[in-house]
């Protein structure tokens, strides 16, 4: 910029106001939306500047308070924004520049310029532009400096010394009141803020972040402070699981290449579960939910390092196939947190890190540091390799079992389970598969059915709890393989809904607790292993009658309470008892047909994905590995006996 004259000074001011005006015109461009997400983004922008000051090593405590009048106050104990003139903008102080143009430049803030990669890092000037009022207090050199803005950044009170810094403190305070003419709603939600503030504390080891909702009495402040940083985050996530070893692994490396500061931290721990979605990554404190270069670098190095270690220690024979990434990541909880000057956020939701140098930095750091960690923790390392080898064997077994299932049914059609009483029609549009609990009911269902369109598959006892075993173990279970072969369309990622052999898969269980258990397990199985079958509306639950009563020598069946009430209205003098039907076996074939299977008289409940998902949720909670969650669930659902028997 050429040397300034008073005219250009004026042009600076104009540039400032034009800049802020541009933000007010299209707020969504800067904070994503003017809905709740955008509103809370305003808080994160201000807090980010304080976190930058913490990352630069000058701030240890950040206080966020929701003010009674609807505003938000953020206080840090950093150096305080400089109040001296800002050379590039004559007549403006650094503080005014930070509040109206640039963004505080921490080590990773990019030296005063935060390159906005999408929604994050647009800086506090955007907050100013979208607030009806902003107050700034800067405590520096024993003095307190004050300035305020109104209506999107117009100076109300220019920067001046308002007194001494209380107790000689240092730091920056920003209070802002979001502009109600911009935002759909200006009421902050505590829960939203606390979740994200907790995450920021995990990602900045040692930093204390205190949140106080002062809008109503009785809300005590909550402080998040994790000396262990992301290692504490891994402990927090794994708390409800069974860990493979007590220690949490940690590695860190930083590097400076052509002015680009880059740092990577990884914390990791395996648990005994089978999930492979425990990897979470962040860039400059922002969750990169679509992954990106840092995650790719980590995954590649993890796989190579574990395989190299396993071979070097003879835990993997040279002839053994290498362990795949998914085998190694089974049960892994890991946090990959990187910091860099100019993050490029890409992808649909700006949740993917695009900086290519990050891939090699993270890969090199992980290769080096993880190899050291494995050497230093041989027993943990062995457990990881053994678990990964089991996962690899399970994967192989599942593949061969699936191939076998496919081969048998493809080759000679003999892939159909022995117990299946198939129907004669080959047209899925009219064919129905009844999965009947218990051999007795299966018998009367076979007798009752329409053999042209209805196939019967009796399921003996409680089918395997598919929740807690790997896919190979599941495929060894006779009941499960019968089910897969009967439906005839494969399972899991190979499931092809075009190949289903029946247009309707009907679950026919007793109306007692055992029946509801089987039904829950079957729904979970379909939801987990044949989701398109559920999504396509092919899964139904038969509704056997709940009551029976005598009329003369006949037995009349009533579907539900409503039918019973209607029956009594029509027969006010009916004196006979109503029996509560427990099991399908109480009905003979004729009755089973007329009440439950005859398409002209039956009621079938079509299962929605939501209902299957709830069953799945119930199953994971009750059968999954999370002991704590199971206890809570049973306590809260104790009144609902349906769930108690499991
Ligand atoms: C409640 C929100 O915004 N805290 C901040 C600082 C400290 C410095 C700074 C900020 C302009 C471009 C340098 C102080 N002393 N909390 C905050 N704390 N900005 S914002 O500098 C901004 C300058 O880069 C600071 C020495 N260096 C930096």
């Amino acid at each position: 910029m050429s040397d300034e004259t008073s005219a250009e000074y004026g042009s600076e001011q104009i540039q400032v106001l034009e800049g802020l005006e541009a933000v007010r015109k299209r707020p969504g461009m800067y904070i994503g939306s003017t809905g709740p997400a955008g509103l809370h983004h305003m808080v994160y922008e201000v807090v980010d500047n304080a976190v930058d000051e913490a990352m630069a090593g000058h701030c240890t405590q950040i206080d966020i308070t929701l003010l009674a009048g609807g505003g938000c106050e953020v206080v840090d104990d950093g150096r305080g924004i400089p109040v001296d003139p800002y050379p590039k903008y004559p007549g403006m102080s650094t503080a005014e520049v930070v509040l109206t143009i640039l963004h505080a430049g921490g080590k990773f803030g990019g030296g005063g310029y935060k390159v906005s990669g999408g929604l994050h890092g647009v800086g506090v000037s955007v907050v100013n532009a979208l607030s009806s009022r902003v107050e700034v207090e800067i405590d520096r050199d024993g003095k307190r400096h004050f300035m305020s803005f109104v209506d999107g950044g117009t100076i109300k009170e220019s920067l001046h010394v308002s007194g001494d810094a209380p107790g000689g403190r240092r730091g920056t305070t920003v209070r802002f009141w979001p502009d109600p003419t911009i935002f759909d709603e200006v009421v902050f939600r505590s829960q939203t803020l606390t979740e994200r503030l907790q995450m920021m504390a995990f990602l900045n080891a040692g930093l204390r972040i205190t949140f106080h909702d002062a809008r109503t009495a009785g809300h005590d402040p909550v402080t998040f402070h994790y000396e262990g940083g992301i290692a504490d985050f891994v402990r927090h996530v794994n708390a409800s699981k069974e860990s493979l070893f007590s220690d949490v692994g940690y590695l860190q490396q930083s590097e400076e290449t052509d002015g680009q500061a880059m740092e990577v931290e990884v914390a990791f721990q395996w648990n005994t579960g089978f999930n492979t979605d425990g990897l979470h990554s962040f860039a400059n404190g922002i969750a990169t939910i679509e992954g990106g270069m840092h995650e790719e670098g980590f995954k590649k190095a993890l796989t190579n390092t574990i395989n190299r270690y396993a071979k070097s220690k003879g835990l993997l024979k040279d002839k053994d196939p290498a362990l795949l990434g998914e085998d190694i990541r089974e049960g892994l909880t890991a946090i990959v947190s990187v910091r860099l000057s100019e993050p490029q956020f890409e992808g649909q939701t700006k949740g993917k890190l695009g900086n290519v140098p990050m891939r090699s930095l993270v890969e090199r750091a992980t290769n080096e540091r993880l190899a050291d960690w494995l050497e230093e923790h041989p027993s943990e390392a062995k457990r990881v390799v053994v678990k990964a080898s089991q996962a690899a064997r399970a994967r192989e077994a599942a593949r061969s079992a699936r191939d076998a299932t496919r081969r048998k049914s493809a080759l000679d059609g003999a892939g159909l389970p022995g117990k299946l009483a198939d129907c004669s029609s080959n047209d899925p549009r009219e064919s129905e598969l009844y999965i009947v609990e218990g051999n007795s009911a299966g018998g009367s269902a076979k007798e009752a059915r329409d053999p042209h369109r209805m196939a019967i598959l009796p399921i003996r006892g409680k089918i395997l709890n598919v929740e807690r075993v790997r896919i190979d173990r599941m495929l060894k279970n006779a009941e499960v393989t019968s089910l897969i072969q009967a439906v005839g369309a494969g399972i899991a990622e190979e499931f092809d809904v075009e190949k289903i052999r029946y247009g309707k898969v009907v679950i026919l269980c007793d109306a007692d607790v055992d029946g509801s258990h089987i039904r829950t397990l079957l729904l979970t199985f379909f939801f987990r292993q044949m989701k398109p079958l559920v999504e396509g509306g092919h899964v139904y639950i038969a509704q056997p009658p709940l009551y029976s009563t005598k009329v003369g020598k006949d037995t009349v069946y009533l579907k539900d309470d409503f039918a019973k009430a209607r029956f009594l209205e029509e027969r006010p003098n009916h004196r006979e008892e109503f029996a509560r039907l427990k099991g399908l076996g109480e009905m003979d074939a004729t009755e089973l047909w007329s009440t439950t299977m005859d398409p002209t008289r039956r009621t079938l409940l079509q299962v929605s994905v939501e209902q299957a998902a709830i069953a799945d949720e119930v199953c994971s909670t009750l059968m999954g590995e999370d002991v704590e969650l199971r206890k809570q669930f049973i306590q809260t659902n104790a009144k609902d006996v349906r769930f108690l028997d499991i």
Side-chain angles (χ1 to χ4, degrees), residues 270-343:
W270 274 266
N271 60 60
T272 57
F274 304 133
N275 280 336
T276 55
D277 55 6
L279 173 57
H280 307 281
S281 63
F282 300 83
N284 286 8
I286 291 144
T288 40
I289 48 177
E290 296 170 77
M293 293 298 163
H294 51 341
E295 263 196 40
E296 285 174 29
F298 172 71
K299 285 180 176 176
K300 189 170 170 215
L302 175 71
T303 304
N304 295 341
T305 309
I306 296 284
N307 273 296
R308 233 189 335 269
Y309 178 84
K311 290 237 173 12
S312 73
K313 302 295 176 187
L315 297 169
L316 256 189
K317 305 285 171 290
D318 284 347
K319 66 176 177 31
D320 289 334
L323 298 168
L324 297 188
E326 64 187 87
D327 305 329
I328 294 166
R329 290 197 301 275
E330 182 190 83
L332 172 68
T333 297
I335 309 298
V336 177
S337 171
V338 297
R339 295 194 184 284
L340 64 164
S341 308
E342 313 210 351

Side-chain angles (χ1 to χ4, degrees), residues 45-47 49-51 53 62 74-76 78-82 86 94 97-99 102-106 111-113 124 140 171-174:
E45 279 309 331
V46 180
V47 174
N49 279 350
V51 171
E53 190 59 2
I62 303 174
V74 183
V75 185
D76 75 33
R79 293 167 289 182
I81 308 178
Y86 194 80
T94 299
V97 168
V98 167
L99 263 293
L102 289 183
H103 319 294
Y113 281 95
V124 72
R140 252 179 101 92
T172 302
T173 297
V174 171

Side-chain angles (χ1 to χ4, degrees), residues 1 4 7-17 88-90 92 101:
M1 191 149 329
E4 307 305 320
E8 269 160 25
Y9 169 67
S11 74
E12 302 300 347
Q13 276 306 335
I14 293 162
Q15 182 197 351
V16 164
L17 293 179
K88 285 185 195 159
Y89 293 81
M92 289 176 74
I101 305 176

Side-chain angles (χ1 to χ4, degrees), residues 138-170:
I138 296 166
D139 294 326
R140 252 179 101 92
D141 310 322
K143 292 291 175 206
R144 167 159 286 183
H145 305 259
F146 182 88
M147 77 177 148
S148 68
F149 303 82
V150 290
D151 303 335
T154 307
I155 292 189
K156 174 82 174 160
E157 296 158 271
S158 57
L159 188 63
H160 61 281
V161 173
S162 60
D164 291 343
R169 76 179 295 279
R170 299 176 324 161

Side-chain angles (χ1 to χ4, degrees), residues 75 94 151 197 206 212 214 245 351 433 440 502 541 555 558:
V75 185
T94 299
D151 303 335
L197 295 173
H212 184 199
F245 42 82
L433 171 66
S440 67
Y502 307 96
I541 298 174
T555 304
L558 301 161

